[in-house]
Amino acid sequence: MLFAFLGSSTKMLDGLFIMDLAIISCDVLYREVCNLISTSTNRVDATFLLKGLHDLGAEAMLAKVQETVDAIDQEERYEAILLGYGLCNNGVAGLKARLKYAATPEA
């Protein structure tokens, strides 16, 4: 439920909640993610990681994505971290957001 992670920085404008979100995505989804951001009522900052990351194997991919999540997690301006990844060699299995809510799509 959306209200479960609305934070103190959530604003309301014209009856809509405005959230500060971060998304980490594979750059294969660059156009799609940018299109979604452009139509979102939220403030969204995107970080795109190299599309060949899954070729390194699940363990190395997880380490790089986790490093990126940890860096964003330390910033106090985001209410949630979104992930733009599919199954991608199970490279996001075991990913943890230590301080913030993280959302990833399910297959």
Side-chain angles (χ1 to χ4, degrees), residues 52-103:
L53 197 55
H54 68 279
D55 292 334
L56 301 176
E59 191 174 309
M61 180 177 171
L62 176 60
K64 180 61 179 170
V65 177
Q66 185 67 63
E67 175 186 312
T68 307
V69 167
D70 290 345
I72 291 171
D73 213 14
Q74 294 302 314
E75 297 182 35
E76 295 185 12
R77 62 187 230 203
Y78 299 111
E79 297 173 63
I81 300 169
L82 310 174
L83 297 175
Y85 281 95
L87 293 176
C88 296
N89 199 21
N90 289 321
V92 295
L95 191 66
K96 294 177 176 51
R98 294 158 185 26
L99 302 175
K100 297 191 178 34
Y101 181 82

